[in-house]
Amino acid sequence: MVKEDKFYMLEALKEARQALEEDEVPVGCVVVYNNIIIARAHNQIERLKDPTAHAEMIALTSAANYLGTKWLNGVSLYVTIEPCSMCAGAMVLARIKNLIIGAKDPKTGACGSIVNIVNHKKLNHRIKVKKGVLKDDCAVILKQFFRKKRK
């Protein structure tokens, strides 16, 4: 594991912990450009009453605002769990360069687990994907959240 990947995923985990404190599904995300975090976010679906308020969607919007462009060329996005189809599609549309994932999502993951939107042959952009960065740390916070919800 590259030292930088671990550092940025730890930052994404800070966002996931913030989501946990707010009783949101604990997903965190950071966007990195030229070795600088230009956006960070966590799920805010419950707070905003918005089914699209995933950490990745909020972070992509923030990064686009920061860079002043809809094209996020050269950007790396770190997220604690494999993105869903909505988020994966948005990443393709934004043309991010790298996607670094913590834990896999065997139920809704759209970066290889269920479907692979980020590297679909028929789409005009593909994303370089790295999986499993701090996967145990990323998975445990989700398990903790859902265990508590089931009680």
Side-chain angles (χ1 to χ4, degrees), residues 17 29 31 61-62 74 93 101 104 109 111 123 126 129 134:
R17 285 187 197 92
C29 178
V31 179
T61 298
S62 181
L93 292 173
I101 300 168
K104 286 184 179 182
C111 303
L123 296 177
R126 288 173 195 78
V129 178
L134 298 179

Side-chain angles (χ1 to χ4, degrees), residues 11-12 15-16 27-31 39-42 55-56 59 77-80:
E11 291 297 309
E15 289 294 320
V27 177
C29 178
V30 296
V31 179
R40 55 176 63 236
H42 57 275
E56 303 96 320
L77 188 144
Y78 290 77
V79 64
T80 56

